[in-house]
Amino acid sequence: MTENAQQQPTAPHTELPTQYAPADVEGPLYERWVERGYFEADAKSDKPPYTIVIPPPNVTGSLHLGHAFQHTLMDALTRRKRMQGYEALWLPGMDHAGIATQNKVEQQLAEEGKSRHDLGREEFVERVWQWKEEYGGRILGQMRRLGDGVDWSRERFTMDEGLSKAVLTIFKKLYDDELIYRAERIINWCPRCLTAISDIEVEYQEDAGELVSIRYGEGEDSLVVATTRAETMLGDTAVAVHPDDERYQHLIGKQIKLPLTDRTIPVVADTHVDPAFGTGAVKVTPAHDPNDFEIGRRHDLPSLTIMDEHGVITVHGPFLGLDRFEARSTVVGALKEQGRIVAEKRPYMHSVGHCSRCKTTVEPRLSMQWWVKVGPLAKAAGDAVRDGRVRIHPEDMSKRYFDWVDNMHDWCISRQLWWGHRIPIWYGPDGEVVCVGPDEEPPTGEGWTQDSDVLDTWFSSGLWPFSTLGWPEQTEDLRKFYPTDVLLTGHDIIFFWVARMMMFGLYAMDGQAPFHTIALTGLVRDEFGKKMSKSNPNAVDPLVWMDAYGSDAVRFTLANGANPGADVPIGEDWVKASRNFTNKIWNATRFALMNGATVEGPLPDASEMSATDRWILSRLNTTVAQVDAYYDDYQFAKLADALYHFAWDEVFDWYVELSKTTFFAGGEQARVSGRVLGEVLDVTLRLLHPVIPFVTDALWTTLTGGESLVVGEWPADSGFRDKDAELEIELVQRVVTEVRRFRKDQGLKDGQKVPARLTLDGTALAPHEAAIRQLLRLQPEGEDFTATATLPVAGAEVALDLSGTIDVAAERKRLAKDLAAAEKEKAQANAKLGNEAFLAKAPDNVVDKIRGRLAKADEDIARIQAQLDRLPEA
């Protein structure tokens, strides 16, 4: 029991509409919450802080089910903490999304017959800002629809002035500490986006290609190499073999003729080559393959770039100007003419990298880029989890995290774009290189130019937990709300975002990790477990479901599927079921208000309560304790399930129904039960509020007259338990459930009344006879009562007179037919399981299925026989 209700002002119970209409409630209610400043956090407050920063959605984005899923969970965590008395800050914002946003604006320009080069850099960037103001941030309004309780007064954008200063500050710090450098390396290049992209922005898929085997050299001084990218042979500068491979000892150090060219290339010995794979000889193209680049460095080989940024061949007359894929077939054709192709395999399925944004095939390309030396940063990020400063939940996801941070390559941070944070490096006329910090003036004068590249979007979003709080300034927000409490995000961006935030947070904030807990979720899938995507017909716009069923229904469905780290299946039928749940809460509260439910005055003493009252209060406090434990362990599915079954089954289906006779009778006991029901509804609505905030707030303010559940108190487990009352009501439930099952088996309609004699004397059921009769539609026995069926249950006896309700002969005939079918099924299953030859050959799953059929047949036989035994003779 709680004191929450006593602390709230009460108001006359205004009559609720007969039906809940989410569209009439949700929008106005959310605006009221925002206008009253409920979500705004106070850095000067004495309350303990609780902070979550939102994974910033792209400025180009719109709300999809993945957003709705994670936002629901973050909102639930924040709302609960706010109700618990914390100064809760859920900080919103957006990412500038360099490539995605630039692509949007370039598409817009293309429709006008222009390119960014027609505008020039400065005008193009201004055009992107205009696009952002006009079209960007649509998702922010959609977050309001979902009910996100974020502090809109602190909304940030990765390109705003404060965050831009943070980017320049950390770049300068890393540069001065020699953790940022410029070097020519192999990078992933997107010929469509015309920029470098990081390893984690490459999506690999199985593509159908062609594997060709090509003979290099002549006679005994020849060898065969295999490749899926024949066009890159134009850039070969060596062939590599293993130093211990006896087949090629005579060739190591020799020059051989490179087909289609006037060049010769050396045969080098390198332990990278696997002599057991293929022919044991590999072509080496240092400018177009990362492994070849490393071989080239070890053997001081030249790197020949043979393609431009569009993937067009730039060397060798016959192939000059061809697209890379056109060049591939042309090169193979030319090699065939020379008799150099010794084998072809088509189609050849192999893993090919694609740009995660535009799906273009990625091209490995030698390029001068800026890099972060991640070694010491990644080690610190791994140590913070290993030594317990940061907890990963669920724990088994830690391996994925360590696999990444322990094996991280240096991070290419430069992008050949115009939209983004421009790299703060200036080059002088005499080869000078100057890094300019945020409060420093860049060098001026003839010949000084700024680096034209911008930073990887993940560079600025990696600063998000502290840059959004004002860093590098030592603000009140930073002191109050850093480090944040929990990062809740999908396991799919551990590499993109989580590791980068860990590295930068520990580096910039003197070893203080950016969050205490990393709570990882799975991905949302359709009801059949398939990945949702725009290219599939299974993609769902959550706004459509919100329009149809209400935001609370969508939220509850998502929370109900949220097992830590596991993917979340969701289907429309499940959202409909959640809509039914919100309707049930509405209708049950409406009934309660009409029948005396109140929060006025103190809760009566337990001695004044019925066993039913004590039972529901005991179950209520158990549920409070369960929900608290599930929240603390990020077990959203379990807490949603516990709340669903407590609210629907125990409060609405059992307590309300068991109490109807008390309410109808009136008097002191009705007053006591009305106060208990008010208490139970008050606490139940509080428990449900973080997950389904709209319907609960509308009902709670009507019930209690309180201001809003957003700023209400979270219920505490008072410790009240009454095991005797729980056992007593469990007996009632057993009787009601058993008789209901019997009625259904006999084909009786739910509302059909049946004469009955209840023998309850000497049992704990005696005080509940009126309620039992009410729930089971049992009439008192008359003078002509004949017990045609007797059910012993829970130490009591329920005798029913079915003589006027069913055709006993027909019912016996039906049941006999069902019994014969069940016995036949049992005999067939026993025959198979008794056949040794069958058991020796049948797969385990087939045998298990037959054993299941046997068990089901046994259950059916026992059930049908019991029904027959209960029927009178025809």
Side-chain angles (χ1 to χ4, degrees), residues 657-668:
E657 293 298 322
L658 285 169
S659 301
K660 277 184 178 178
T661 53
T662 301
F663 290 135
F664 295 160
E668 180 60 19

Side-chain angles (χ1 to χ4, degrees), residues 7-29:
Q7 297 169 353
Q8 297 294 341
T10 57
H13 294 147
T14 55
E15 187 172 339
L16 290 167
T18 55
Q19 290 184 321
Y20 177 50
D24 295 340
V25 172
E26 292 178 349
L29 188 53

Side-chain angles (χ1 to χ4, degrees), residues 569-634:
I570 184 172
E572 188 167 6
D573 285 345
W574 304 343
V575 183
K576 289 179 182 177
S578 296
R579 184 270 317 272
N580 294 343
F581 181 47
T582 61
N583 286 345
K584 181 77 170 182
I585 298 168
W586 183 272
N587 294 334
T589 304
R590 185 170 177 272
F591 169 86
L593 291 172
M594 293 168 61
N595 287 274
T598 180
V599 296
E600 295 179 16
L603 199 63
D605 188 78
S607 62
E608 302 177 57
M609 298 178 190
S610 67
T612 307
D613 294 333
R614 298 194 306 277
W615 162 74
I616 195 62
L617 288 173
S618 183
R619 292 294 308 131
L620 175 68
N621 280 287
T622 298
T623 302
V624 170
Q626 284 180 332
V627 169
D628 275 333
Y630 290 145
Y631 262 117
D632 292 341
D633 199 35
Y634 304 100

Side-chain angles (χ1 to χ4, degrees), residues 73 75 219 221 298 341 471 509 517 523 531 583 830:
L73 306 188
D75 195 31
D221 289 347
R298 287 193 289 272
I341 301 294
W471 187 89
M509 301 300 292
T517 301
L523 308 179
K531 182 178 179 180
N583 286 345
N830 272 327

